[in-house]
Coordinates of all heavy atoms in Angstrom, one line a residue:
M77 N -97.0 99.8 -36.2 CA -97.5 99.2 -37.4 C -96.4 98.3 -38.0 O -95.2 98.7 -38.0 CB -97.9 100.3 -38.5 CG -98.3 99.7 -39.8 SD -99.1 101.0 -40.8 CE -97.8 101.3 -42.0
T78 N -96.7 97.1 -38.4 CA -95.7 96.3 -39.0 C -96.0 96.2 -40.5 O -97.1 96.4 -41.0 CB -95.7 94.9 -38.4 OG1 -97.0 94.3 -38.6 CG2 -95.4 94.9 -36.9
M79 N -95.0 95.8 -41.3 CA -95.1 95.7 -42.7 C -95.0 94.2 -43.1 O -94.3 93.5 -42.4 CB -94.1 96.6 -43.3 CG -93.2 96.1 -44.3 SD -91.9 97.3 -44.9 CE -92.2 98.8 -44.2
D80 N -95.6 93.9 -44.2 CA -95.5 92.5 -44.7 C -94.3 92.4 -45.7 O -93.7 93.4 -46.1 CB -96.8 92.0 -45.3 CG -97.2 92.8 -46.6 OD1 -96.5 93.7 -47.0 OD2 -98.3 92.5 -47.1
E81 N -94.0 91.2 -46.0 CA -92.8 91.0 -46.9 C -93.0 91.6 -48.3 O -92.0 92.2 -48.8 CB -92.6 89.5 -47.1 CG -91.4 89.1 -48.0 CD -91.2 87.6 -48.1 OE1 -91.9 86.8 -47.4 OE2 -90.4 87.2 -48.9
A82 N -94.2 91.5 -48.9 CA -94.4 92.1 -50.2 C -94.2 93.6 -50.2 O -93.6 94.2 -51.1 CB -95.8 91.8 -50.7
T83 N -94.6 94.3 -49.2 CA -94.4 95.7 -49.1 C -92.9 96.1 -48.9 O -92.4 97.0 -49.6 CB -95.2 96.3 -47.9 OG1 -96.6 96.0 -48.0 CG2 -95.1 97.8 -47.8
A84 N -92.2 95.3 -48.1 CA -90.8 95.5 -48.0 C -90.0 95.3 -49.3 O -89.2 96.1 -49.6 CB -90.2 94.6 -46.9
V85 N -90.4 94.3 -50.0 CA -89.8 94.1 -51.3 C -90.1 95.2 -52.3 O -89.2 95.7 -53.0 CB -90.2 92.7 -51.9 CG1 -89.8 92.6 -53.4 CG2 -89.6 91.6 -51.1
Q86 N -91.3 95.7 -52.3 CA -91.7 96.8 -53.1 C -90.9 98.1 -52.8 O -90.4 98.7 -53.7 CB -93.2 97.1 -53.0 CG -93.7 98.2 -53.8 CD -95.2 98.4 -53.6 OE1 -95.8 98.0 -52.6 NE2 -95.8 99.1 -54.6
I87 N -90.7 98.4 -51.5 CA -89.9 99.5 -51.1 C -88.5 99.4 -51.5 O -87.9 100.3 -52.1 CB -90.1 99.8 -49.6 CG1 -91.5 100.2 -49.2 CG2 -89.0 100.8 -49.1 CD1 -91.8 100.2 -47.8
A88 N -87.9 98.2 -51.2 CA -86.5 98.0 -51.6 C -86.3 98.1 -53.1 O -85.3 98.7 -53.6 CB -86.0 96.6 -51.0
S89 N -87.2 97.5 -53.8 CA -87.1 97.5 -55.3 C -87.1 99.0 -55.8 O -86.4 99.3 -56.8 CB -88.2 96.7 -55.9 OG -88.0 95.3 -55.6
A90 N -88.0 99.8 -55.2 CA -88.1 101.2 -55.7 C -86.9 102.0 -55.3 O -86.6 103.0 -56.0 CB -89.4 101.8 -55.0
N91 N -86.1 101.5 -54.3 CA -84.9 102.3 -53.9 C -83.6 101.7 -54.4 O -82.5 102.1 -54.0 CB -84.9 102.3 -52.4 CG -85.9 103.2 -51.8 OD1 -86.1 104.3 -52.2 ND2 -86.6 102.7 -50.8
R92 N -83.7 100.8 -55.4 CA -82.5 100.2 -56.0 C -81.5 101.2 -56.5 O -80.4 101.2 -56.2 CB -82.9 99.2 -57.1 CG -83.5 97.9 -56.6 CD -83.9 97.1 -57.8 NE -82.7 96.7 -58.5 CZ -82.4 95.4 -58.8 NH1 -83.2 94.4 -58.5 NH2 -81.4 95.1 -59.5
A93 N -82.0 102.1 -57.3 CA -81.2 103.1 -58.0 C -80.5 104.1 -56.9 O -79.4 104.4 -57.0 CB -82.0 103.9 -59.0
A94 N -81.3 104.4 -55.9 CA -80.8 105.4 -54.9 C -79.6 104.7 -54.1 O -78.8 105.5 -53.6 CB -81.9 105.7 -53.9
H95 N -79.6 103.4 -54.1 CA -78.5 102.7 -53.3 C -77.6 102.0 -54.2 O -76.8 101.1 -53.8 CB -79.1 101.8 -52.3 CG -79.9 102.5 -51.3 ND1 -79.3 103.4 -50.3 CD2 -81.3 102.7 -51.1 CE1 -80.3 103.9 -49.6 NE2 -81.5 103.5 -50.0
A96 N -77.6 102.3 -55.5 CA -76.6 101.8 -56.5 C -76.6 100.3 -56.6 O -75.6 99.6 -56.7 CB -75.2 102.3 -56.3
V97 N -77.8 99.7 -56.6 CA -78.0 98.3 -56.8 C -78.1 98.1 -58.4 O -79.0 98.5 -59.0 CB -79.3 97.7 -56.2 CG1 -79.4 96.2 -56.4 CG2 -79.2 98.0 -54.7
P98 N -77.1 97.4 -58.9 CA -77.1 97.2 -60.4 C -78.3 96.5 -60.9 O -78.9 95.6 -60.2 CB -75.8 96.3 -60.6 CG -75.0 96.5 -59.4 CD -75.9 96.7 -58.3
A99 N -78.7 96.9 -62.1 CA -80.0 96.3 -62.7 C -79.9 94.8 -62.9 O -80.9 94.1 -62.9 CB -80.3 97.0 -64.0
R100 N -78.7 94.3 -63.1 CA -78.5 92.9 -63.4 C -78.7 92.0 -62.1 O -78.8 90.8 -62.2 CB -77.2 92.6 -64.0 CG -76.0 92.9 -63.2 CD -74.7 92.7 -63.9 NE -73.5 93.1 -63.1 CZ -72.9 92.3 -62.3 NH1 -73.3 91.1 -62.1 NH2 -71.9 92.8 -61.6
Y101 N -78.7 92.6 -60.9 CA -78.9 91.9 -59.7 C -80.4 91.5 -59.6 O -81.3 92.4 -59.6 CB -78.5 92.7 -58.5 CG -77.0 92.8 -58.3 CD1 -76.1 92.8 -59.3 CD2 -76.5 93.0 -57.0 CE1 -74.8 92.9 -59.1 CE2 -75.2 93.1 -56.7 CZ -74.3 93.1 -57.8 OH -72.9 93.2 -57.6
A102 N -80.7 90.3 -59.4 CA -82.1 89.8 -59.3 C -82.5 89.7 -57.8 O -81.7 89.5 -56.9 CB -82.2 88.4 -59.9
L103 N -83.8 89.9 -57.6 CA -84.3 89.8 -56.2 C -84.2 88.3 -55.8 O -84.6 87.4 -56.5 CB -85.8 90.2 -56.2 CG -86.5 89.9 -54.9 CD1 -86.0 90.8 -53.8 CD2 -88.0 90.2 -55.2
R104 N -83.6 88.1 -54.6 CA -83.4 86.7 -54.1 C -84.3 86.4 -52.9 O -84.3 85.3 -52.4 CB -81.9 86.5 -53.8 CG -81.1 86.4 -55.0 CD -81.4 85.2 -55.8 NE -80.6 85.1 -57.0 CZ -81.0 84.9 -58.2 NH1 -82.3 84.7 -58.5 NH2 -80.2 84.9 -59.2
G105 N -85.0 87.4 -52.4 CA -85.9 87.1 -51.2 C -85.7 88.1 -50.1 O -85.0 89.1 -50.2
A106 N -86.5 87.9 -49.1 CA -86.5 88.9 -48.0 C -86.7 88.0 -46.7 O -87.3 87.0 -46.7 CB -87.7 89.8 -48.1
E107 N -86.0 88.6 -45.6 CA -86.0 87.9 -44.3 C -86.2 89.0 -43.3 O -85.6 90.0 -43.3 CB -84.7 87.2 -44.1 CG -84.6 86.5 -42.8 CD -83.2 85.9 -42.7 OE1 -82.4 85.7 -43.6 OE2 -82.9 85.5 -41.5
R108 N -87.1 88.7 -42.3 CA -87.4 89.6 -41.2 C -86.3 89.4 -40.1 O -86.0 88.2 -39.7 CB -88.7 89.3 -40.7 CG -89.3 90.3 -39.8 CD -90.7 89.9 -39.4 NE -91.5 91.0 -39.0 CZ -92.6 90.8 -38.4 NH1 -93.2 89.6 -38.3 NH2 -93.3 91.8 -38.0
R109 N -85.7 90.5 -39.7 CA -84.7 90.4 -38.6 C -84.7 91.6 -37.7 O -85.4 92.6 -38.0 CB -83.2 90.4 -39.3 CG -82.9 89.2 -40.0 CD -81.4 89.3 -40.4 NE -81.1 88.6 -41.6 CZ -80.1 88.8 -42.4 NH1 -79.2 89.7 -42.1 NH2 -79.9 88.1 -43.5
I110 N -84.0 91.5 -36.6 CA -83.8 92.6 -35.7 C -82.3 92.9 -35.8 O -81.5 92.1 -35.6 CB -84.2 92.3 -34.3 CG1 -85.7 92.0 -34.2 CG2 -83.8 93.5 -33.3 CD1 -86.2 91.6 -32.8
I111 N -82.0 94.2 -36.1 CA -80.6 94.6 -36.3 C -80.3 95.8 -35.3 O -81.2 96.4 -34.8 CB -80.3 95.0 -37.7 CG1 -81.1 96.3 -38.1 CG2 -80.5 93.9 -38.7 CD1 -80.6 96.9 -39.5
E112 N -79.1 96.0 -35.0 CA -78.6 97.1 -34.2 C -78.2 98.3 -35.1 O -77.4 98.1 -36.0 CB -77.5 96.7 -33.3 CG -77.8 95.7 -32.2 CD -76.7 95.3 -31.4 OE1 -75.5 95.6 -31.8 OE2 -76.9 94.8 -30.3
L113 N -78.7 99.5 -34.8 CA -78.2 100.7 -35.4 C -77.7 101.7 -34.4 O -78.3 101.8 -33.3 CB -79.4 101.3 -36.2 CG -80.0 100.6 -37.4 CD1 -81.2 101.4 -38.0 CD2 -78.9 100.4 -38.4
C114 N -76.6 102.3 -34.8 CA -76.1 103.4 -33.9 C -77.0 104.6 -34.0 O -77.4 105.0 -35.1 CB -74.7 103.8 -34.3 SG -73.5 102.5 -33.9
A115 N -77.3 105.2 -32.9 CA -78.1 106.4 -32.8 C -77.1 107.6 -32.6 O -76.5 107.7 -31.5 CB -79.1 106.3 -31.7
G116 N -76.9 108.3 -33.6 CA -75.9 109.5 -33.5 C -74.5 109.1 -33.8 O -74.2 108.3 -34.7
S117 N -73.6 109.5 -33.0 CA -72.2 109.3 -33.1 C -71.8 107.8 -33.1 O -72.4 107.1 -32.4 CB -71.4 110.0 -32.0 OG -70.1 109.7 -32.1
Q118 N -70.9 107.4 -33.9 CA -70.5 106.0 -34.0 C -69.2 105.7 -33.2 O -68.6 104.7 -33.4 CB -70.4 105.5 -35.4 CG -71.7 105.6 -36.1 CD -71.7 104.9 -37.4 OE1 -70.8 104.1 -37.7 NE2 -72.7 105.2 -38.3
G119 N -68.8 106.6 -32.3 CA -67.6 106.4 -31.6 C -67.8 105.6 -30.3 O -68.9 105.0 -30.1
V120 N -66.8 105.6 -29.5 CA -66.9 104.8 -28.2 C -68.1 105.3 -27.4 O -68.2 106.5 -27.2 CB -65.6 104.9 -27.4 CG1 -65.7 104.2 -26.1 CG2 -64.4 104.3 -28.2
G121 N -68.9 104.5 -26.9 CA -70.0 104.8 -26.0 C -71.2 105.3 -26.8 O -72.2 105.8 -26.3
A122 N -71.2 105.0 -28.1 CA -72.4 105.4 -29.0 C -73.6 104.6 -28.5 O -73.5 103.4 -28.2 CB -72.1 105.1 -30.4
L123 N -74.8 105.2 -28.6 CA -76.0 104.6 -28.2 C -76.4 103.7 -29.4 O -76.3 104.0 -30.6 CB -77.1 105.6 -28.0 CG -76.9 106.5 -26.8 CD1 -78.0 107.5 -26.6 CD2 -76.8 105.7 -25.5
V124 N -76.9 102.5 -29.1 CA -77.4 101.5 -30.1 C -78.8 101.2 -29.8 O -79.3 101.1 -28.7 CB -76.5 100.2 -30.0 CG1 -77.1 99.2 -31.0 CG2 -75.1 100.5 -30.3
R125 N -79.6 101.1 -30.9 CA -81.0 100.8 -30.8 C -81.3 99.6 -31.6 O -80.7 99.4 -32.7 CB -81.9 101.9 -31.1 CG -81.8 102.4 -32.5 CD -82.7 103.7 -32.8 NE -82.5 104.1 -34.1 CZ -83.3 103.9 -35.1 NH1 -84.4 103.2 -34.9 NH2 -83.1 104.3 -36.4
D126 N -82.2 98.7 -31.2 CA -82.6 97.6 -32.0 C -83.8 98.0 -32.9 O -84.7 98.7 -32.5 CB -83.1 96.5 -31.1 CG -82.0 95.8 -30.3 OD1 -80.9 95.9 -30.7 OD2 -82.3 95.3 -29.2
V127 N -83.7 97.6 -34.1 CA -84.7 97.9 -35.1 C -85.2 96.7 -35.8 O -84.4 95.9 -36.3 CB -84.1 98.9 -36.2 CG1 -85.2 99.3 -37.2 CG2 -83.6 100.2 -35.5
R128 N -86.5 96.5 -36.0 CA -87.1 95.4 -36.7 C -87.1 95.8 -38.2 O -87.7 96.8 -38.5 CB -88.5 95.1 -36.2 CG -89.0 93.8 -36.8 CD -90.4 93.5 -36.3 NE -90.5 93.1 -34.9 CZ -90.4 91.8 -34.6 NH1 -90.2 90.9 -35.4 NH2 -90.4 91.5 -33.3
V129 N -86.5 95.0 -39.0 CA -86.4 95.3 -40.4 C -86.7 94.1 -41.3 O -86.7 92.9 -40.8 CB -84.9 95.8 -40.8 CG1 -84.6 97.1 -40.1 CG2 -83.9 94.7 -40.6
W130 N -86.8 94.3 -42.6 CA -86.8 93.3 -43.6 C -85.5 93.4 -44.3 O -85.2 94.5 -44.8 CB -88.0 93.4 -44.6 CG -89.3 93.0 -44.0 CD1 -90.3 93.7 -43.4 CD2 -89.8 91.6 -44.0 NE1 -91.3 92.9 -43.0 CE2 -91.1 91.6 -43.4 CE3 -89.3 90.4 -44.5 CZ2 -91.8 90.5 -43.2 CZ3 -90.1 89.3 -44.3 CH2 -91.3 89.3 -43.7
I131 N -84.8 92.4 -44.4 CA -83.5 92.4 -45.2 C -83.9 91.8 -46.6 O -84.3 90.7 -46.7 CB -82.4 91.4 -44.6 CG1 -82.1 91.9 -43.2 CG2 -81.2 91.4 -45.5 CD1 -81.4 93.2 -43.1
V132 N -83.8 92.7 -47.6 CA -84.1 92.3 -49.0 C -82.8 92.2 -49.8 O -82.0 93.1 -49.8 CB -85.1 93.4 -49.6 CG1 -85.5 92.9 -51.0 CG2 -86.3 93.6 -48.8
R133 N -82.6 91.0 -50.3 CA -81.4 90.6 -51.0 C -81.6 90.6 -52.5 O -82.5 90.1 -53.1 CB -80.9 89.3 -50.6 CG -79.6 88.9 -51.3 CD -79.0 87.6 -50.8 NE -78.2 87.8 -49.6 CZ -77.0 87.3 -49.5 NH1 -76.5 86.6 -50.4 NH2 -76.4 87.5 -48.3
F134 N -80.6 91.3 -53.2 CA -80.5 91.3 -54.6 C -79.1 90.7 -55.0 O -78.1 91.0 -54.3 CB -80.5 92.7 -55.2 CG -81.8 93.4 -54.9 CD1 -81.9 94.2 -53.8 CD2 -82.9 93.3 -55.7 CE1 -83.1 94.9 -53.5 CE2 -84.1 93.9 -55.4 CZ -84.2 94.7 -54.3
Q135 N -79.1 89.8 -56.0 CA -77.9 89.0 -56.2 C -77.6 88.7 -57.7 O -78.6 88.5 -58.4 CB -78.0 87.7 -55.4 CG -76.7 86.9 -55.4 CD -76.8 85.8 -54.4 OE1 -77.7 85.7 -53.6 NE2 -75.8 84.9 -54.4
A136 N -76.4 88.7 -58.0 CA -75.9 88.2 -59.4 C -74.7 87.4 -59.2 O -73.6 87.9 -58.8 CB -75.6 89.4 -60.3
G137 N -74.8 86.1 -59.3 CA -73.6 85.2 -59.0 C -73.3 85.3 -57.6 O -74.2 85.2 -56.7
A138 N -72.0 85.5 -57.3 CA -71.6 85.6 -55.9 C -71.7 87.0 -55.3 O -71.6 87.2 -54.1 CB -70.1 85.2 -55.8
A139 N -72.0 88.0 -56.1 CA -72.1 89.3 -55.7 C -73.6 89.6 -55.2 O -74.5 89.1 -55.8 CB -71.8 90.3 -56.8
W140 N -73.7 90.4 -54.1 CA -75.0 90.7 -53.6 C -75.1 92.0 -52.9 O -74.0 92.6 -52.5 CB -75.5 89.6 -52.6 CG -74.5 89.3 -51.5 CD1 -73.6 88.3 -51.5 CD2 -74.3 90.0 -50.3 NE1 -72.8 88.3 -50.4 CE2 -73.3 89.4 -49.6 CE3 -74.9 91.1 -49.7 CZ2 -72.9 89.8 -48.3 CZ3 -74.5 91.5 -48.5 CH2 -73.5 90.9 -47.8
V141 N -76.3 92.5 -52.8 CA -76.5 93.8 -52.0 C -77.8 93.5 -51.2 O -78.8 93.0 -51.7 CB -76.8 95.0 -52.9 CG1 -77.1 96.2 -52.1 CG2 -75.6 95.3 -53.8
E142 N -77.7 93.8 -49.9 CA -78.9 93.7 -49.0 C -79.3 95.1 -48.5 O -78.5 95.9 -48.1 CB -78.5 92.8 -47.8 CG -78.3 91.4 -48.1 CD -78.0 90.5 -46.9 OE1 -77.6 91.1 -45.9 OE2 -78.2 89.3 -47.0
L143 N -80.6 95.3 -48.7 CA -81.2 96.6 -48.2 C -82.0 96.2 -47.0 O -82.9 95.3 -47.0 CB -82.1 97.3 -49.3 CG -81.4 97.6 -50.6 CD1 -82.4 98.3 -51.5 CD2 -80.2 98.5 -50.4
A144 N -81.8 96.9 -45.9 CA -82.6 96.7 -44.7 C -83.7 97.8 -44.6 O -83.4 99.0 -44.5 CB -81.7 96.8 -43.4
V145 N -84.9 97.4 -44.7 CA -86.1 98.3 -44.7 C -86.7 98.3 -43.3 O -87.2 97.2 -42.9 CB -87.1 97.9 -45.8 CG1 -88.3 98.8 -45.8 CG2 -86.4 97.9 -47.2
D146 N -86.7 99.4 -42.7 CA -87.3 99.6 -41.3 C -88.8 99.3 -41.4 O -89.5 99.9 -42.2 CB -87.1 101.0 -40.8 CG -87.5 101.2 -39.4 OD1 -88.6 100.7 -39.0 OD2 -86.8 101.9 -38.7
E147 N -89.3 98.3 -40.6 CA -90.7 97.9 -40.6 C -91.6 99.0 -40.2 O -92.8 99.1 -40.6 CB -90.8 96.8 -39.6 CG -91.7 95.7 -40.2 CD -91.9 94.5 -39.2 OE1 -92.2 94.8 -38.0 OE2 -91.7 93.4 -39.7
T148 N -91.2 100.0 -39.4 CA -92.0 101.0 -38.8 C -92.1 102.2 -39.8 O -93.2 102.7 -40.1 CB -91.6 101.5 -37.5 OG1 -91.5 100.3 -36.6 CG2 -92.5 102.5 -36.9
T149 N -90.9 102.6 -40.3 CA -90.9 103.9 -41.1 C -90.9 103.6 -42.6 O -91.2 104.5 -43.3 CB -89.6 104.7 -40.8 OG1 -88.5 103.9 -41.2 CG2 -89.5 105.0 -39.3
G150 N -90.5 102.4 -43.0 CA -90.5 102.1 -44.4 C -89.3 102.7 -45.1 O -89.2 102.7 -46.4
T151 N -88.3 103.1 -44.4 CA -87.1 103.7 -44.9 C -86.0 102.6 -45.0 O -85.9 101.7 -44.2 CB -86.6 104.9 -44.1 OG1 -86.3 104.5 -42.8 CG2 -87.6 106.0 -44.2
T152 N -85.0 102.8 -45.9 CA -83.9 101.9 -45.9 C -82.9 102.4 -44.9 O -82.4 103.6 -45.0 CB -83.2 101.9 -47.3 OG1 -84.2 101.5 -48.3 CG2 -82.0 101.0 -47.4
V153 N -82.5 101.6 -43.9 CA -81.7 102.0 -42.8 C -80.3 101.5 -42.9 O -79.4 101.9 -42.1 CB -82.3 101.7 -41.4 CG1 -83.6 102.5 -41.2 CG2 -82.6 100.2 -41.3
R154 N -80.1 100.5 -43.7 CA -78.7 99.9 -43.9 C -78.6 99.3 -45.3 O -79.5 98.7 -45.8 CB -78.4 98.9 -42.8 CG -77.1 98.2 -42.9 CD -76.8 97.1 -41.9 NE -76.7 97.7 -40.6 CZ -76.8 97.0 -39.5 NH1 -76.9 95.7 -39.5 NH2 -76.7 97.6 -38.3
V155 N -77.4 99.5 -45.8 CA -77.1 98.8 -47.1 C -75.8 98.0 -46.9 O -74.8 98.6 -46.4 CB -76.9 99.8 -48.2 CG1 -76.5 99.2 -49.5 CG2 -78.1 100.7 -48.4
Q156 N -75.8 96.7 -47.2 CA -74.6 95.9 -47.1 C -74.3 95.3 -48.4 O -75.3 94.9 -49.1 CB -74.7 94.8 -46.0 CG -74.8 95.4 -44.6 CD -74.8 94.4 -43.6 OE1 -75.7 93.6 -43.5 NE2 -73.8 94.4 -42.7
R157 N -73.0 95.2 -48.8 CA -72.6 94.7 -50.1 C -71.6 93.6 -49.9 O -70.8 93.7 -49.0 CB -72.0 95.8 -50.9 CG -72.9 97.0 -51.2 CD -72.2 98.1 -52.0 NE -73.0 99.2 -52.0 CZ -74.1 99.4 -52.8 NH1 -74.4 98.4 -53.7 NH2 -74.8 100.5 -52.8
S158 N -71.6 92.7 -50.8 CA -70.6 91.6 -50.8 C -69.3 92.2 -51.3 O -69.3 93.3 -51.9 CB -71.0 90.5 -51.8 OG -71.0 90.9 -53.1
R159 N -68.2 91.6 -51.0 CA -66.9 92.1 -51.4 C -66.6 91.7 -52.9 O -65.7 92.2 -53.5 CB -65.8 91.5 -50.5 CG -65.9 92.1 -49.1 CD -64.8 91.5 -48.2 NE -65.1 91.9 -46.9 CZ -64.2 92.4 -46.1 NH1 -62.9 92.4 -46.5 NH2 -64.5 92.8 -44.9
T160 N -67.4 90.8 -53.4 CA -67.3 90.4 -54.8 C -68.0 91.4 -55.7 O -69.2 91.6 -55.5 CB -67.9 89.0 -55.0 OG1 -67.3 88.1 -54.1 CG2 -67.7 88.5 -56.4
P161 N -67.3 92.0 -56.6 CA -68.0 93.0 -57.5 C -68.9 92.4 -58.5 O -69.0 91.3 -58.8 CB -66.8 93.7 -58.2 CG -65.6 92.8 -58.0 CD -65.9 91.9 -56.9

């Protein structure tokens, strides 16, 4: 099952507090991507799997947070933050 952009944005928005996305960060959009995730241990020889996700970006000025929402499970599988606070 695949998910549409609106559903991904809704899931990411509902998970803002759980992933410490500040309230002042505005939704800036969503982009569909395939990302690599480590399955299990992250050491040498770790297994990697490709996952189709929606990257949902929240931003305030130069600072941003991206939540990667797995298209199949609807869970947030990665959180990336800018270095700018």
Side-chain angles (χ1 to χ4, degrees):
M77 176 168 105
T78 61
M79 127 184 352
D80 63 4
E81 180 178 351
T83 303
V85 167
Q86 181 181 16
I87 291 168
S89 295
N91 288 312
R92 287 175 65 125
H95 297 289
V97 178
R100 65 185 175 86
Y101 284 32
L103 173 66
R104 290 292 180 228
E107 178 182 347
R108 196 176 198 188
R109 290 188 207 159
I110 296 173
I111 63 172
E112 292 181 340
L113 292 178
C114 286
S117 171
Q118 294 190 18
V120 175
L123 296 176
V124 175
R125 63 186 176 97
D126 291 335
V127 180
R128 186 182 289 271
V129 298
W130 282 95
I131 302 293
V132 182
R133 179 178 275 230
F134 299 94
Q135 188 168 351
W140 53 265
V141 176
E142 290 180 341
L143 302 181
V145 179
D146 185 320
E147 222 180 50
T148 303
T149 65
T151 59
T152 301
V153 294
R154 179 183 291 167
V155 179
Q156 291 186 297
R157 298 176 190 284
S158 66
R159 293 178 187 226
T160 305

